[in-house]
Amino acid sequence: MLACSLPASFAMGAAEKKDGPYAGAGICQECHVEQTKSMSKTPHWKKAIKDSPVANKGCESCHGPGTTHVSEGGGTTKGLITFGKKETAKQKSGACLVCHENSKEMTFFDVGVHKQNDVTCVDCHTVHNSAVHNLKTTQPGLCLACHRNMRSQLNRQAHHPIQEGKVKCTDCHTPHGGFGPKMIRADSTPDLCYKCHAEKRGPFAFEHPPVAENCLTCHQPHGSNHENLLTSKSPRLCQGCHTPNGHNNRPYSFQNRLGGSATGSQNRFVSQGCLNCHGNIHGSNRSPFFVR
Amino acid sequence: MRVTSFVTLTALGVILNLTPCSPVYSEEQDFTGNIDITGETSNVNGSKAKSHEYSDGRTSKVTGDVNFSHNSPGFFFGFSAKDPGYDTQHYRLEGGSYGVLKGWFDYNVIVHNVTTGARSFYSGVGSDNLTLTGTPSADSNTWVSGFDYYTKRKKFNTGFDLKMISPFFFNAEYSHEKKEGIKPTGTQGSFSGTNYFIELPEPIDYRTNSINLEAGYARTPFFLSFNYLYSNFNNQMSDLNFTTDTATGRGGPNFSLAPDNKIQRFTLKGSVKLPMNSKFNMSLSDARTTSETSSFDSFRGKVDTKNYDLIFTTNPMRFLEGKVYYKYYDRDNKSYSGAVVNLFDTAGLETFVTNPIAYTKNTFGGDLGFRLPAKFHLSAGYKNVKTRRKLVDEIDPGSINPEDVLPYTTDNIFNADLKWNGLDFMSAWIGYKRLARGATYQTTESRNLIFRNYSYAAQDSDIFKTGVDLSPIDDLNLSFEYDYKRSIYNDTLFGVKGSTSNAISFSGDYAFRKLLRFSTYFDAEKTTLDQLATTSATTRSPQWKSTLEDITYGYGAKAEIYAIPKKLTFTLQGDYMRNHGTNDFDFYGTTAQFLTAFQLPAGGSGLPVNIPNVDSYRRYSLRFVTAYNWSDSIVIKAGYIYDRYKYSDAQLNGYQYVVTPIAAPIGYITGAYANPSYNVNTVFLALTYRF
């Protein structure tokens, strides 16, 4: 009932809203030889896919009606969507979403920050070749072109193997929009991290509260100067919360290092710092102090 | 059966369509691919693990990559193999029928080398039983075990995506991952009645099996999908047994390893388009995670997680966009709450009270975007996050240790961004975000504590960003960005008091005709973290202050010189990355108090206390590559790579396996993360054949 009552235009993309007659399939390739040649290798040019451009209006399925363009010998792009600077983000993405919105990957594009910031499909994809997912370049370079502040983090001494090509940005983030914070592929940060780090799921008899709530309290996922992607080095990281009396309130200064001159059986910060004893810091089934 | 059918279908498709390429753009078939063979040899001085952190550790190797794909009007098929036989190997086979079915098999290995040449006085490293006769030798050179810290993941993944029932869809995926290796952990133990800290090599032998099923309907204006996830984590070892005295009440000679666990999650997602360019979106999920442990008879882990997302988006007018949303996330911890007795404590005296953590987050907010004249785009938003944390036993919260009573927090987050695209060759933006977090402590005792856990404490945070992109001439692109962040914890007496970050990044690239392409970048960030502490549980005046500072910067340049266009290319690239970490201290009160409290040696007031090197490092990389296109099909590459990494940290410099501040040792460590510096010279020769 609802479907019948909705105006058909709700389902129409930018290309369909363009006016003017269509020039017809086949005429484009007379001039645009290279483009149509490369297109022929892509899924967009497979008639077996019933909604593909080639099964509909060919190039004009995406670029809009080209009669004016053809009649003027290619001298004008009037009426066409060129996916260039003259079109708005909505027009450019709209041409793709006419078909691709009917998919689980793209249906939530409106929800995402990319759409909100006028990032369009053609900023990342080029449909005129057959590269993997038609991406303009490989990850992470593609994402770093905009997210420049990530470059420094990926280059730090502790990092996920992103630059090495073993982990991709899209393993954790969905660039096409989703419900998770920061467009992650999960409902929450721990839920995302548990996908690879299943051993941290617990539930443990003794839980460390920030671990159960947010991995990012202690870790920087994109890269860190500190081993294990920590936000700062132990013991200072742990002392951010644990400062009451006891061995955890000491400054552990330069004198307390390996080879330092300080004395006292608990007055050393070496190697893993607090984790030298509290090794099960993500949760334990033996010790409330995480030492077993 | 379905997988078999898919393979048969794909193979049939390939056989029927594996014919020579047909010309130009008609929707015909093609068969393309490439074969790469690379021989390389490297000379490593220093840490072999860090220099090959995510790569195969062999210094001389011949690797090969194979990729090919076949396309026909009806079918597609692809296969790729990377680094067969090495620790970085990856294989993928995929294929299917356009508009009908897509399926794949994938096998991927990820290695993480942490430290080579670690040592332990225990026998049985890598197993769940570490044994020692007598007491550890003070001479680490006599220790019986030499080993490497590393992890290796081997993941097999397969699945299919059924498209022929469009607008309905169905997909299924199965994965099996085996993770093995040894990681460093730590514990407290004793020998002959004396306590030590002991770094333990913890064995890793995990298996994770996951199944993901999804079915749905997708046809504008509706979308609806149902997803089921089942994941089973199995640790082949439940405890790490190690030789130590058991009389000290530290939990016995058993270190608990990650427990077996299972998770099941049901998710319902949907969206519907509404009038006025509006859309309603939702995601509802319900999950249960359970775990088992051998430590306590009475403990069973069970956590139920619920997540509800409701989002309404609209674009009613050309110049106006909007979004309002609500999110409910609940972690309901139904694990056993109460006293447990450690079964490994033979005296039967050791009992603990479990502390299952539960919380609920309610989030709502909205964003508005305005397209203004002169190509300005203004967006502004507000978000409110209320987090209610609880311990499961709330009957008598006053009886709970006040340190374990977590506060409620309320976040008010405001943001505004302004972008300008008024010129074809330039765009610029500026943004501001503010977080105001309030914390409410649930009991009088917890409210009166003098320290605050910074992740829950009241906080004021400001983030400022600005940047510009320029393309003043064709083939020249420049970009500049500045980010500032400041967080202040005004209600916190001790612990983290504040942090700041200033970061800039610059990048540029230029192409000169078809002869040269040049790119460069520079990134720099300075962060500070201020903490206050006291030596007393009741004193409200600070006794020392710590300021951690990281100055991190990196720069690089790359030039591609097309000496003979499309024939001979020289590539020269250099990168540099540095972090200079320091930790400075201020002390309050008298020097005598300081010396007594922190056990510096007599006369120590003149000794240096500031730490000049906290995770400081420099990394250099230089590479020179020559590529020669012998023909359209054959490319030959030869190159030289120099990598150098120099690391310095007070916690690891002057490494001692037996930590001995005075006469007697206080701890035993194994070499984890020690001496990671290296320099590597690599030469390689590669041949690529494309078809």
Side-chain angles (χ1 to χ4, degrees):
Chain A
M1 282 287 286
L2 183 59
C4 297
S5 64
L6 291 170
S9 60
F10 297 155
M12 294 172 72
E16 290 180 71
K17 289 176 182 174
K18 286 280 181 181
D19 297 326
Y22 290 91
I27 197 165
C28 307
Q29 63 194 40
E30 291 180 13
C31 296
H32 302 283
V33 177
E34 286 302 316
Q35 287 89 340
T36 43
K37 181 180 176 182
S38 60
M39 278 295 290
S40 69
K41 298 175 182 175
T42 72
H44 283 115
W45 227 245
K46 302 298 177 189
K47 287 179 181 171
I49 304 173
K50 63 182 180 184
D51 293 327
S52 68
V54 73
N56 289 284
K57 292 187 166 56
C59 306
E60 292 174 300
S61 298
C62 304
H63 288 285
T67 299
T68 308
H69 173 69
V70 172
S71 64
E72 296 193 14
T76 178
T77 56
K78 187 180 176 185
L80 289 181
I81 297 176
T82 61
F83 299 95
K85 290 185 176 178
K86 75 180 176 95
E87 284 101 6
T88 64
K90 185 180 176 183
Q91 285 174 314
K92 286 187 274 193
S93 292
C96 306
L97 289 171
V98 168
C99 298
H100 290 281
E101 195 172 23
N102 292 324
S103 69
K104 60 173 182 171
E105 188 68 19
M106 293 305 307
T107 193
F108 300 115
F109 185 66
D110 283 358
V111 169
V113 178
H114 277 162
K115 196 257 183 182
Q116 198 174 324
N117 285 287
D118 285 348
V119 178
T120 70
C121 308
V122 294
D123 290 329
C124 302
H125 299 275
T126 171
V127 296
H128 289 160
N129 73 31
S130 55
V132 178
H133 300 304
N134 290 341
L135 290 177
K136 283 184 167 176
T137 185
T138 54
Q139 298 182 52
L142 179 70
C143 308
L144 293 177
C146 293
H147 299 279
R148 298 176 196 108
N149 54 349
M150 289 294 123
R151 178 177 53 213
S152 171
Q153 295 187 32
L154 299 188
N155 284 335
R156 294 186 182 188
Q157 68 104 354
H159 57 274
H160 277 121
I162 298 169
Q163 297 280 29
E164 289 81 357
K166 283 296 187 180
V167 172
K168 298 196 296 288
C169 308
T170 50
D171 289 339
C172 299
H173 298 277
T174 168
H176 299 135
F179 295 91
K182 305 282 184 187
M183 297 209 293
I184 60 172
R185 294 184 184 272
D187 294 331
S188 71
T189 303
D191 291 334
L192 178 73
C193 302
Y194 293 157
K195 287 183 178 180
C196 293
H197 303 281
E199 73 277 12
K200 306 288 192 299
R201 280 200 294 237
F204 296 98
F206 306 106
E207 296 192 318
H208 193 183
V211 176
E213 187 172 330
N214 189 355
C215 310
L216 303 185
T217 303
C218 301
H219 295 282
Q220 284 183 326
H222 298 114
S224 167
N225 291 320
H226 315 293
E227 204 56 68
N228 292 316
L229 297 167
L230 292 174
T231 52
S232 62
K233 195 177 181 77
S234 173
R236 226 56 73 199
L237 172 66
C238 310
Q239 288 178 327
C241 293
H242 300 284
T243 54
N245 63 325
H247 65 274
N248 51 354
N249 67 359
R250 300 174 183 179
Y252 296 101
S253 74
F254 190 66
Q255 294 307 311
N256 308 85
R257 74 201 189 283
L258 272 168
S261 57
T263 59
S265 63
Q266 295 179 325
N267 201 18
R268 286 270 145 171
F269 74 98
V270 299
S271 188
Q272 300 183 73
C274 306
L275 302 182
N276 286 332
C277 292
H278 304 276
N280 255 341
I281 203 65
H282 290 105
S284 170
N285 279 335
R286 189 67 44 77
S287 163
F289 309 108
F290 310 114
V291 296
R292 285 287 192 275
Chain B
M1 181 60 108
R2 280 174 175 159
V3 172
T4 309
S5 303
F6 159 69
V7 172
T8 308
L9 192 65
T10 303
L12 190 64
V14 170
I15 292 165
L16 291 174
N17 294 281
L18 201 63
T19 53
C21 308
S22 33
V24 268
Y25 38 76
S26 56
E27 183 219 352
E28 296 300 338
Q29 52 211 347
D30 64 68
F31 187 81
T32 59
N34 65 277
I35 298 172
D36 294 348
I37 298 175
T38 303
E40 71 170 57
T41 182
S42 55
N43 172 14
V44 181
N45 290 309
S47 173
K48 198 173 165 187
K50 189 68 177 174
S51 63
H52 291 78
E53 187 171 5
Y54 290 114
S55 62
D56 192 282
R58 279 166 273 196
T59 52
S60 292
K61 52 195 170 189
V62 177
T63 57
D65 296 351
V66 176
N67 298 283
F68 64 86
S69 64
H70 169 67
N71 266 293
S72 75
F75 295 91
F76 62 97
F77 174 80
F79 174 74
S80 66
K82 182 173 172 53
D83 299 344
Y86 288 92
D87 282 347
T88 49
Q89 57 193 319
H90 180 207
Y91 308 90
R92 186 171 180 87
L93 172 68
E94 67 176 27
S97 175
Y98 287 114
V100 178
L101 178 74
K102 176 186 176 183
W104 67 89
F105 299 93
D106 193 282
Y107 179 73
N108 191 23
V109 177
I110 300 177
V111 68
H112 187 192
N113 295 305
V114 178
T115 302
T116 47
R119 59 180 84 158
S120 173
F121 51 75
Y122 284 118
S123 298
V125 169
S127 74
D128 59 355
N129 200 24
L130 301 174
T131 58
L132 168 72
T133 303
T135 55
S137 167
D139 181 3
S140 64
N141 291 312
T142 66
W143 289 359
V144 294
S145 296
F147 61 96
D148 298 337
Y149 283 116
Y150 76 100
T151 59
K152 193 186 289 185
R153 293 171 182 269
K154 300 173 182 174
K155 187 172 185 179
F156 170 75
N157 172 272
T158 184
F160 67 90
D161 194 350
L162 192 63
K163 298 171 181 291
M164 63 186 300
I165 54 176
S166 174
F168 296 93
F169 61 88
F170 177 73
N171 53 74
E173 192 172 350
Y174 165 76
S175 69
H176 171 80
E177 182 180 82
K178 180 182 179 184
K179 185 177 178 184
E180 61 188 23
I182 301 173
K183 69 174 182 177
T185 189
T187 191
Q188 192 171 28
S190 64
F191 299 107
S192 302
T194 304
N195 285 336
Y196 302 93
F197 62 82
I198 309 168
E199 193 168 73
L200 293 176
E202 180 183 327
I204 297 172
D205 196 358
Y206 306 152
R207 310 280 190 281
T208 307
N209 289 286
S210 301
I211 296 172
N212 204 334
L213 305 173
E214 187 172 25
Y217 173 88
R219 175 67 73 190
T220 305
F222 296 110
F223 175 87
L224 189 69
S225 76
F226 178 76
N227 180 281
Y228 171 72
L229 166 77
Y230 173 77
S231 179
N232 183 342
F233 169 80
N234 182 251
N235 192 344
Q236 305 297 297
M237 304 175 208
S238 59
D239 296 278
L240 175 60
N241 306 303
F242 60 99
T243 305
T244 181
D245 290 354
T246 57
T248 56
R250 296 288 178 185
N254 313 88
F255 187 88
S256 65
L257 301 179
D260 292 353
N261 64 60
K262 296 173 187 170
I263 182 171
Q264 289 193 84
R265 178 182 292 121
F266 300 90
T267 305
L268 183 69
K269 289 184 179 179
S271 68
V272 58
K273 282 198 162 190
L274 301 170
M276 301 180 72
N277 274 328
S278 302
K279 197 170 185 179
F280 174 73
N281 310 271
M282 69 166 192
S283 173
L284 315 173
S285 70
D286 198 330
R288 169 164 292 179
T289 309
T290 56
S291 68
E292 297 176 1
T293 175
S294 58
S295 301
F296 307 115
D297 252 353
S298 51
F299 180 79
R300 290 290 177 271
K302 185 162 84 172
V303 167
D304 287 347
T305 309
K306 291 180 174 59
N307 180 77
Y308 307 139
D309 277 294
L310 306 173
I311 303 177
F312 173 77
T313 60
T314 186
N315 184 193
M317 287 167 274
R318 189 191 60 79
F319 61 88
L320 178 66
E321 297 168 331
K323 180 166 86 174
V324 292
Y325 52 88
Y326 171 73
K327 182 183 182 77
Y328 171 83
Y329 186 91
D330 179 58
R331 183 185 201 258
D332 186 7
N333 199 328
K334 296 178 175 173
S335 302
Y336 172 78
S337 175
V340 288
V341 177
N342 182 3
L343 298 177
F344 288 93
D345 183 9
T346 51
L349 300 174
E350 194 175 49
T351 60
F352 299 119
V353 177
T354 62
N355 67 332
I357 305 296
Y359 59 89
T360 304
K361 285 180 185 286
N362 276 284
T363 304
F364 70 87
D367 296 305
L368 280 176
F370 302 94
R371 295 187 189 283
L372 305 174
K375 292 197 174 181
F376 279 98
H377 184 197
L378 174 68
S379 57
Y382 168 74
K383 181 158 79 171
N384 178 286
V385 186
K386 283 189 168 65
T387 307
R388 299 290 178 263
R389 302 174 182 87
K390 58 187 176 185
L391 297 175
V392 169
D393 184 6
E394 291 185 303
I395 298 169
D396 182 14
S399 68
I400 302 174
N401 181 353
E403 294 175 22
D404 292 335
V405 181
L406 304 174
Y408 295 166
T409 54
T410 301
D411 295 354
N412 285 291
I413 302 166
F414 309 87
N415 72 282
D417 297 274
L418 182 65
K419 293 179 184 174
W420 179 63
N421 290 304
L423 298 171
D424 279 349
F425 63 88
M426 178 179 170
S427 63
W429 67 94
I430 187 168
Y432 174 73
K433 186 175 182 179
R434 174 167 180 78
L435 160 69
R437 172 175 294 165
T440 306
Y441 292 82
Q442 301 181 52
T443 64
T444 304
E445 292 81 5
S446 64
R447 187 164 45 250
N448 290 337
L449 286 173
I450 62 170
F451 67 94
R452 301 276 187 258
N453 293 339
Y454 78 95
S455 52
Y456 311 123
Q459 178 189 166
D460 286 324
S461 178
D462 300 284
I463 297 174
F464 172 77
K465 292 184 175 188
T466 186
V468 61
D469 286 340
L470 284 168
S471 298
I473 57 173
D474 283 349
D475 300 320
L476 174 63
N477 301 297
L478 303 169
S479 67
F480 176 82
E481 188 170 321
Y482 170 71
D483 299 84
Y484 169 79
K485 181 176 181 182
R486 180 192 69 159
S487 296
I488 297 174
Y489 302 82
N490 282 323
D491 290 352
T492 298
L493 281 177
F494 302 111
V496 172
K497 286 288 292 177
S499 64
T500 59
S501 164
N502 280 278
I504 58 169
S505 84
F506 164 80
S507 57
D509 64 83
Y510 175 65
F512 179 69
R513 296 178 183 168
K514 293 184 178 176
L515 297 175
L516 170 73
R517 183 166 194 88
F518 179 78
S519 58
T520 185
Y521 67 91
F522 176 78
D523 301 312
E525 183 179 18
K526 178 182 177 182
T527 62
T528 58
L529 178 70
D530 294 324
Q531 296 173 234
L532 281 180
T534 179
T535 57
S536 162
T538 53
T539 303
R540 301 182 75 85
S541 57
Q543 291 183 294
W544 58 271
K545 177 188 176 186
S546 154
T547 302
L548 266 178
E549 183 177 279
D550 270 358
I551 298 176
T552 311
Y553 59 91
Y555 52 84
K558 180 180 179 183
E560 290 174 278
I561 304 160
Y562 309 110
I564 306 173
K566 298 186 178 178
K567 201 72 177 172
L568 180 63
T569 303
F570 297 112
T571 304
L572 185 63
Q573 181 176 352
D575 297 280
Y576 177 71
M577 184 82 192
R578 183 181 185 192
N579 179 57
H580 183 212
T582 57
N583 193 177
D584 290 353
F585 295 89
D586 290 317
F587 295 95
Y588 309 104
T590 65
T591 306
Q593 280 180 326
F594 163 68
L595 291 178
T596 303
F598 306 117
Q599 301 174 339
L600 281 175
S605 59
L607 294 171
V609 291
N610 293 337
I611 304 172
N613 52 343
V614 180
D615 278 331
S616 294
Y617 62 89
R618 300 174 193 215
R619 190 170 62 222
Y620 312 77
S621 176
L622 182 67
R623 59 190 60 211
F624 176 69
V625 180
T626 301
Y628 180 69
N629 289 351
W630 181 274
S631 67
D632 286 346
S633 301
I634 298 176
V635 181
I636 301 168
K637 283 184 183 176
Y640 166 74
I641 302 169
Y642 173 72
D643 285 312
R644 184 181 177 200
Y645 178 71
K646 193 175 176 184
Y647 175 83
S648 178
D649 183 277
Q651 286 178 228
L652 294 163
N653 286 359
Y655 201 85
Q656 306 165 1
Y657 291 85
V658 181
V659 182
T660 310
I662 35 177
I666 60 167
Y668 300 94
I669 50 182
T670 61
Y673 309 113
N675 305 314
S677 300
Y678 64 82
N679 65 67
V680 183
N681 292 277
T682 304
V683 291
F684 70 89
L685 180 65
L687 176 70
T688 299
Y689 172 67
R690 290 192 289 247
F691 52 91

